[in-house]
Amino acid sequence: MQRENWTSKLGFILAASGSAIGLGNIWRFPFVAGTNGGAIFLLIYLAAIILIGYPVLISEMTIGRKTERNPVGAFKKLAPNTPWWLVGALGVLAGFVILSYYSVVAGWGLFYMLESVTGLAPGTDFAGLFVGHISSTYSPLFWHFIFMLLTVSVIGAGVVNGIQRVVKVLMPILFVLLIVLIFRSLTLEGAGAGLEFYLSPDFSAISLQTFNDAISQAFFTLSLGMGAMITYGSYLSQDESITDSAGYVLGFDTGIAILSGFAIFPAVFAFGLDPAAGPGLTFITLPAVFSQMPLGGLFGFLFFALLSIAALTSAISLLEVVVAYLVDEFEYPRKKTSYIIGFIIFLVGVPPLLGYSALSDFSFLGMDILDTYDWIANVLLLPTGGMLTAIFIGHYWGTDNAVEEANRNSMKVKVGNVYSLMIKYVVPIVIFVIMALGVFQTITG
Ligand code: PHE
């Protein structure tokens, strides 16, 4: 069967941006920045995106387009009869783990979308509301299921009829919603303090943890290290340029992360709340913000719609990695495979979901189950996948081959020696050092 291709360069850019822009930008980025001193984190994060994220993004898209295969098949094709395919297999595994808890968090977003319409009365105990919801079993289970169902229905419909069609509608909506929310936030009285926090660097907030968080965030937000960009690149027509497209994806993803900070911090400061609230920033602090503003129910609804849309266009890329693997390698039918795998991933997501209720006694290195999944994925699997991909290109397949494929048909951007140097030495060494230190720190507490 002829492999499906995105029908245009725009289709590819929107799909890849949709994968990149997700909970990582709207939920994770603001709270990680908020707990790491705001502006200073932004600077280190930008360095990580450009020096490490960009070369790895190009590398993954290149491997995909060159081979026109899923991650496992791609490594098998470029390195037959070697164990390199295991790097792809690691990606498929990461897809399972990440999507399972990602869908749980996205489900909280869906719950809050409805909750905003009906009940964000000022004076509500929002911490209580959030804890009450996540520890209540059936409601989060229901929304987790609904979110997986949405994800599965898109992937079951195919690359062009499913993924591309959905991102072409949702990505523009996402952008408009974000602009509306930023406008609302910046025009609140007292917004200036939030801008100041967000834009003036506090150098005393830098620690090893800051670099660690910046690198994990760079991988997570660009969907790197698990083959999502290999898979999406594999559907890119041979006539399109990788380097040009990758630039847009990087620009959109970074832009949306920065912009969501502009939607969130001015509002948080305007109501005298804490920007360093951590993971609860989105689900506890923001509902409190919305409850106090005029038309807050509407803005709350819009914000959580934005969050849910962003999550959906990322979740489909996670599922696509697994489905593409099974469809390519075993010739399973796409639709059936999507539903079966989607259901299995739903089940894998049940333990992290119950980690706030029935399984709340579980703790691994001080983390609950959802944080444990997140840690396994973001601290172990993604950086390892990215590092091995760089080593593969730098020292096995060859940067010359990669550069040639990446630059083909480029009109604007071309990569060369700097890219090669990054991929051969800088990316693997930096990831190894930061990852080793991060794991060491977590284990020794
Ligand atoms: N990039 C997505 C986000 O920022 C998460 C993701 C990671 C998606 C890995 C696909 C692969 O939310």
Side-chain angles (χ1 to χ4, degrees):
M1 202 176 75
Q2 176 72 33
R3 194 177 188 75
E4 277 192 275
N5 271 350
W6 310 109
T7 55
S8 65
K9 181 170 152 196
L10 182 69
F12 172 64
I13 292 174
L14 289 179
S17 304
S19 168
I21 298 165
L23 294 174
N25 304 57
I26 293 160
W27 169 64
R28 211 166 183 279
F29 176 78
F31 86 70
V32 175
T35 49
N36 276 298
I40 187 63
F41 180 77
L42 198 62
L43 290 177
I44 298 172
Y45 167 75
L46 285 178
I49 287 281
I50 293 167
L51 297 177
I52 297 179
Y54 186 55
V56 176
L57 179 63
I58 290 194
S59 301
E60 289 201 15
M61 289 178 172
T62 299
I63 292 176
R65 211 263 299 270
K66 177 81 189 172
T67 59
E68 303 189 298
R69 291 279 191 291
N70 69 90
V72 173
F75 281 99
K76 276 191 180 158
K77 189 163 173 182
L78 293 177
N81 306 318
T82 68
W84 279 109
W85 63 271
L86 286 166
V87 180
L90 208 63
V92 174
L93 176 72
F96 258 91
V97 177
I98 298 177
L99 182 52
S100 71
Y101 76 86
Y102 201 84
S103 167
V104 173
V105 178
W108 300 344
L110 289 176
F111 168 79
Y112 270 89
M113 200 166 117
L114 286 194
E115 194 68 11
S116 304
V117 185
T118 53
L120 296 181
T124 307
D125 167 15
F126 285 103
L129 177 70
F130 179 59
V131 173
H133 173 67
I134 66 175
S135 60
S136 70
T137 312
Y138 290 111
S139 172
L141 209 54
F142 172 76
W143 291 111
H144 168 45
F145 184 81
I146 295 293
F147 186 80
M148 278 310 300
L149 196 63
L150 287 170
T151 306
V152 158
S153 60
V154 177
I155 293 305
V159 175
V160 173
N161 283 331
I163 304 175
Q164 182 173 290
R165 180 181 298 168
V166 165
V167 295
K168 275 195 165 164
V169 177
L170 293 184
M171 295 312 284
I173 297 181
L174 181 142
F175 191 70
V176 172
L177 286 179
L178 188 58
I179 298 298
V180 171
L181 287 161
I182 291 171
F183 184 75
R184 173 65 278 197
S185 181
L186 288 177
T187 52
L188 288 166
E189 207 169 320
L195 283 182
E196 173 149 350
F197 167 78
Y198 193 39
L199 297 177
S200 46
D202 168 12
F203 288 93
S204 68
I206 307 183
S207 67
L208 170 65
Q209 191 64 37
T210 318
F211 288 92
N212 221 313
D213 284 350
I215 292 193
S216 314
Q217 178 63 18
F219 270 93
F220 187 73
T221 191
L222 288 171
S223 307
L224 298 177
M226 51 82 62
M229 292 301 176
I230 296 183
T231 309
Y232 274 17
S234 79
Y235 303 122
L236 181 64
S237 138
Q238 298 295 334
D239 306 328
E240 303 292 356
S241 149
I242 288 175
T243 48
D244 292 353
S245 310
Y248 283 106
V249 176
L250 190 97
F252 286 146
D253 182 69
T254 309
I256 298 279
I258 294 176
L259 286 177
S260 71
F262 279 108
I264 291 173
F265 292 117
V268 168
F269 276 82
F271 293 105
L273 295 164
D274 177 14
L281 184 66
T282 306
F283 295 106
I284 298 172
T285 311
L286 287 183
V289 167
F290 293 127
S291 75
Q292 295 176 54
M293 70 171 63
L295 291 181
L298 173 67
F299 286 107
F301 173 79
L302 295 180
F303 176 80
F304 287 105
L306 166 77
L307 184 92
S308 305
I309 289 174
L312 181 65
T313 56
S314 299
I316 57 181
S317 71
L318 287 159
L319 183 59
E320 180 60 24
V321 171
V322 183
V323 169
Y325 162 64
L326 295 169
V327 170
D328 281 359
E329 301 297 304
F330 304 98
E331 297 184 4
Y332 290 150
R334 166 176 278 273
K335 196 162 198 160
K336 222 183 200 166
T337 307
S338 309
Y339 279 85
I340 294 173
I341 296 301
F343 188 67
I344 296 175
I345 294 179
F346 166 77
L347 295 179
V348 178
V350 171
L353 189 147
L354 295 181
Y356 300 103
S357 48
L359 303 178
S360 62
D361 285 342
F362 175 95
S363 150
F364 173 74
L365 301 173
M367 298 181 279
D368 60 40
I369 306 179
L370 192 139
D371 288 343
T372 304
Y373 275 36
D374 183 80
W375 186 78
I376 291 173
N378 290 323
V379 180
L380 299 183
L381 297 178
L382 298 190
T384 306
M387 178 177 77
L388 293 175
T389 303
I391 295 174
F392 173 77
I393 290 193
H395 306 279
Y396 183 90
W397 187 43
T399 47
D400 291 348
N401 286 327
V403 165
E404 188 191 315
E405 177 69 22
N407 283 340
R408 198 139 49 78
N409 301 318
S410 293
M411 312 285 272
K412 301 192 191 82
V413 189
K414 285 201 191 307
V415 291
N417 294 338
V418 179
Y419 163 82
S420 303
L421 195 78
M422 290 290 160
I423 284 297
K424 275 191 179 137
Y425 308 109
V426 178
V427 171
I429 293 171
V430 171
I431 296 179
F432 184 79
V433 170
I434 300 278
M435 193 172 70
L437 292 173
V439 172
F440 179 74
Q441 204 175 47
T442 306
I443 290 176
T444 56

